[in-house]
Every structure is written in C-alpha cells, then in structure tokens.
Amino acid sequence: MRWALVRVSLAVTVMVVLAFAVPLGLVVRELARDRAFADAERQAAQIRPALAITTDRDQLERAVASSQAGGDERMAVHVPGDGAARHGTDTGASTGTGAYDAHPVAAREAFGIGRSRADARDVETARRGRSAVTSVPGGYALLQPTALSTGEFAVVEVYVPHRAVTNGVTTSWAILAAVGLGLVVGSVALADRLGLRLVRPAERLARAAAELGEGKLGVRVREGGPAELRAAAVAFNSMADKIVQLLAAERELAADLSHRLRTPLTVLRLNAASLGEGPAADQTRAAVAQLEREVDQLIRAAREQGEQKERPPLGCDACEVIRDRMDFWSALAEDEGRTAGLAGVDATVRVPVARPELVAALDAMLGNVFRHTPEGTAFAVDVHRSEDAVIVLVSDAGPGIADPDAALRRGHGDGGPGSTGLGLDIVRRVAESTGGDVRIGRSVLGGTEVRVWLALDGGDGPRRRARRRARRGRARH
C-alpha cells in the first residue's frame, strides 16, 4: 500500500509538472527570441535618421560605427544606386528663366557599409519594403527597409547570434527543472509519510494476527492510524480476549471431565486388585495404572496451560516412545494372533512433540488397527529419518479405508459402534503442531498405511498448516 501511494503521487506530480513546466519553458524561449529581435530592431532604428538626411557614404559609416551593433560588427547598411546618369539640371527654378544646364551629373552607384551576412536575394526582397528575418551561419539576420529621400529603400541589416536568441533560456529551464524536481520529491516524501501512517497500523495488525495464530494469546494491537484501522484493532483485541476466555473455559472443562474419571478409575483399580495373581491380572492392573497416569497428566496439562502464557518447546525420543508402546500392544497382539513388525527404532530420534502427545497419537493409530481389522491381521511400525523430518509409518494388512479424507476430518470417521471419529484427528493435530502432516494410503501389506510426517525445523509450522488447509480446501472443492 505504501509504495502504491508513492507511485500514484509520483505519477500525478510528474504529469502536473510536465503540464506546466513544458509550456513555461516554451514561453521563456519565445520571450528570449522576441527580446533579441526587439533589440535588433532598436539598433536598426538608430540609423534611420541618418539615412533620411543623407546617403553619403562617409557620414553613414560614421553613423554605423557610433551605434552599438555597428561597433560589434553586427550591422550592415545596403544603399541602392539612383539609376542612370543625368545629362543636365534644370536651373530655371533658381534663375526664374527656365534655362537648362547641359553639364552631365554622374549617377550614384549602390554600396554597402559594414559586414553583411545575409543573402543578396533576401536583401533585394527587403528593398521592396518588407521586413524579414533570415537564417545565416551562426544566427539570424534582421533586414529592416528604410525609405530614402529619393523614394527608394535602403536596407539595414542587424546580425543576431544564437547566443543572443537563447540568452537566459538555459538558466530559466534549469530553474524550472529544479522547481519541478523539488515538487516531485516533496510529493513523494509526503505520500510516503501518509503511506506509513496507513501501513504501520496494518503491519501491526498482521503481525499480531500471526503471533496469535502461533499461540501467543497475550498479544494485543495498539490502536492507531485511520478510523477504519483503529476499528479493526479494537475488533482484533476483543476477539483475542474472547479466544482467551474460550480457551480458559475449555481447559477448565477438560480438567473437570478428567477429574470425573477418577471415581470410575478407583472402582476399576479396586476390581483389578481383587483379580489375584496371573499374567492377565498383572496386565489389567498395569493398564489401570497407565490410565490413571494419563488422566493425571491431562489434569496437570490443563492446569499448566491456564497458568502459563508461553511454554518452553517440548520434545521426546520418538524411537523410545514407539518401542514402549509396541511392548504395551504386543501382549494384545499375541492374544489375537497378530504378527507385529517394527523397524527403524534402534537410534535416538528427537522430535518436537511432548511425550504424552506422541503416546496418544501412537495409541490412536495402533488402537485403530486392533479395532477395525479382523483378529490375526498383521501390522507394522516403521520409522524413517531425513534431514528435516521424521516419518512414522503404521501399516496393516486389513481391508483398508474407503474414504481417507473423511477419516482425517474430526468426528467424521466411520469407525462403527463405540467410535468417536477423533483418533486420526488427534494424530493430525500432533503432526501439524510441528509443521508436518498426515497421509492415508495403501500399505505394502495390502491394507491401510498411515504416514505421519513430523517436521524438525519448527519454523514454518503455521505457514505450512495454512498451505495444507488451502490444498485440502481445493481438493474437497
């Protein structure tokens, strides 16, 4: 938004500057040209009185030399001749007798004074009484006709160099360019400040939304900027407060529900204690003890989340957890005649998942194998490690899952009687908490394969989850 405002302001200001600066620049050039030729006309007008009085060459040369243009060798005078020689003069006017003097008078020849630069044809055209401006090497020549006492026209030529025509134009254009540049820079700076006033509140709102999505429930937005963004900040803060209240209520509800389980667990533990000795009784008592520990862990986790705003990153050894849970489920597998395979759990593989959460995810996947496949169906758990992820594969030789997408949606799994459809959703949430995902496909054993991708980088979790949600939305559409 900020750069969009700057670009719009830049474009508008440049157009306005061009609309005014270009015509002003042309006007300045025309004014300089008119000023130069007006000065040339003034220089030519200084010779007119001398031409009106005499056509004597010496007197005209002194008149031209006394002028400014003549002193700079920029003026020339073209005086025409007075035609053929006259053979006599009429003296009757002076004597009163009408006598005629038969002595011939020599005709005056055309001559020029000063340095001429104009073409002879242009000079002849000006002698007809029409002023003209013609281009000559290095500038222009102003040809100004002046009437003589004989009725003919002498031509006064004034040379106007290019520097006189463009005198001050470059400076004026530079000033116009500087003013235009100043206007452009000022408008861009002003638009940038206005853009910052709009962008900074929007950036704060976006940053707070991202932090809230990452689980930082204490983040709030400082109200500022335009009225619309202030209203958005108020709405965001209200939404964050409501989310905190809802999560607190959910945690309390989870703790209360977990606490209610202690009464039936106590009865179950007492009944297990009365079973006596034997492998079955020991397994029952161990299962009851494990169930009690899980309930206690749920209560503690709910309470701790209500007391802590940010918890430190947790992790566990995935291979150790898988070995432990396979030992737990192997007794039931032996009773049902199932073959259990286990591979890739010899090394230590740390994953950014708390142990109880990984245990819950593994129990959900293995419990599905026992719940949804016939007795005697083989299953296997494989662990693969890469540079940025740990992949856990749980596969079986059962009939498979008809609709994998529905199985991954919360509460949509068709698990039959007693199934809530939440098992694979637990697995999915554990995987997505690391930035990974869950896929369901066909296993090499012929049945279902659940692939759990646990990312190790931990940095792009929210963005990956957003991309996955977008992909799932497009796939469903």
Side-chain angles (χ1 to χ4, degrees):
M1 184 186 300
R2 176 183 176 185
W3 294 114
L5 289 175
V6 169
R7 287 194 295 268
V8 170
S9 177
L10 178 63
V12 172
T13 307
V14 167
M15 287 189 294
V16 172
V17 168
L18 290 178
F20 283 94
V22 172
L24 283 176
L26 296 177
V27 168
V28 167
R29 187 182 66 179
E30 291 300 322
L31 288 176
R33 179 186 177 92
D34 293 343
R35 183 176 62 249
F37 285 113
D39 182 69
E41 290 179 356
R42 183 177 59 82
Q43 296 291 335
Q46 294 178 358
I47 307 300
R48 288 181 179 176
L51 289 173
I53 296 174
T54 181
T55 57
D56 182 70
R57 186 186 188 103
D58 294 335
Q59 294 182 5
L60 290 178
E61 285 180 351
R62 286 193 297 271
V64 169
S66 63
S67 65
Q68 180 182 356
D72 296 337
E73 296 185 354
R74 294 189 295 108
M75 179 182 289
V77 179
H78 303 275
V79 180
D82 57 357
R86 290 177 294 170
H87 295 281
T89 58
D90 187 4
T91 60
S94 58
T95 61
T97 59
Y100 181 79
D101 188 359
H103 296 286
V105 178
R108 186 184 71 249
E109 297 181 355
F111 63 90
I113 301 172
R115 179 183 176 185
S116 176
R117 296 175 176 82
D119 188 81
R121 290 175 296 181
D122 296 328
V123 174
E124 290 298 326
T125 302
R127 280 179 178 167
R128 299 189 182 97
R130 292 194 299 268
S131 299
V133 176
T134 180
S135 296
V136 296
Y140 302 90
L142 172 66
L143 302 177
Q144 189 74 30
T146 301
L148 301 177
S149 59
T150 59
E152 297 180 344
F153 287 93
V155 177
V156 180
E157 175 187 340
V158 180
Y159 171 65
V160 181
H162 282 304
R163 65 176 180 275
V165 175
T166 60
N167 184 27
V169 175
T170 302
T171 303
S172 300
W173 284 3
I175 294 174
L176 288 175
V179 171
L181 182 61
L183 290 175
V184 171
V185 173
S187 66
V188 169
L190 180 60
D192 183 67
R193 300 304 301 174
L194 293 176
L196 281 178
R197 186 172 178 268
L198 295 175
V199 169
R200 283 178 177 172
E203 289 178 346
R204 288 197 298 266
L205 183 60
R207 186 165 54 250
E211 293 177 357
L212 183 64
E214 293 174 357
K216 299 179 181 179
L217 302 181
V219 64
R220 295 296 183 272
V221 180
R222 179 171 61 85
E223 300 174 13
E228 293 80 2
L229 291 178
R230 290 198 300 270
V234 171
F236 175 86
N237 293 335
S238 176
M239 178 192 67
D241 294 337
K242 188 65 175 178
I243 289 175
V244 171
Q245 296 173 4
L246 292 175
L247 289 177
E250 182 181 357
R251 285 192 295 267
E252 292 298 328
L253 179 60
D256 292 342
L257 292 176
S258 301
H259 193 273
R260 293 178 186 179
L261 293 176
R262 284 187 170 181
T263 299
L265 279 176
T266 302
V267 176
L268 185 60
R269 180 167 52 82
L270 294 175
N271 291 337
S274 64
L275 292 177
E277 302 297 332
D282 293 339
Q283 292 177 3
T284 302
R285 284 190 287 269
V288 173
Q290 176 67 25
L291 185 57
E292 284 183 329
R293 288 193 297 271
E294 294 295 337
V295 171
D296 292 339
Q297 178 65 28
L298 286 175
I299 295 174
R300 285 194 299 270
R303 298 302 184 188
E304 290 173 358
Q305 288 177 355
E307 296 173 357
Q308 298 178 359
K309 295 183 178 179
E310 293 185 7
R311 302 182 61 186
L314 302 177
C316 65
D317 182 3
C319 293
E320 187 273 330
V321 174
I322 293 173
R323 289 195 301 267
D324 178 70
R325 301 319 297 161
M326 285 296 290
D327 290 340
F328 175 81
W329 290 96
S330 61
L332 182 58
E334 184 178 353
D335 292 342
E336 294 185 358
R338 299 175 182 268
T339 301
L342 185 61
V345 295
D346 297 332
T348 299
V349 179
R350 301 287 301 181
V351 293
V353 179
R355 179 184 175 86
E357 295 179 1
L358 185 58
V359 169
L362 289 171
D363 286 345
M365 291 186 289
L366 295 174
N368 284 340
V369 173
F370 284 87
R371 186 179 299 112
H372 302 305
T373 60
E375 294 186 4
T377 302
F379 68 96
V381 179
D382 298 326
V383 179
H384 302 276
R385 169 71 186 270
S386 65
E387 293 182 358
D388 59 350
V390 173
I391 302 174
V392 180
L393 300 176
V394 178
S395 55
D396 62 62
I401 297 178
D403 191 353
D405 292 335
L408 288 174
R409 293 199 295 271
R410 183 178 178 87
H412 285 74
D414 186 11
S419 175
T420 61
L422 301 180
L424 289 178
D425 182 72
I426 295 174
V427 179
R428 178 183 59 80
R429 286 190 289 110
V430 170
E432 290 186 352
S433 68
T434 68
D437 60 8
V438 178
R439 298 290 178 87
I440 297 178
R442 203 71 178 175
S443 71
V444 294
L445 299 179
T448 302
E449 178 186 84
V450 180
R451 190 207 67 162
V452 183
W453 180 293
L454 302 175
L456 299 180
D457 54 3
D460 294 332
R463 287 188 289 271
R464 290 184 179 180
R465 288 195 294 273
R467 289 195 294 268
R468 278 194 303 275
R469 285 194 293 268
R471 288 197 298 268
R472 285 199 297 270
R474 289 194 296 269
R476 286 195 296 270
H477 179 72

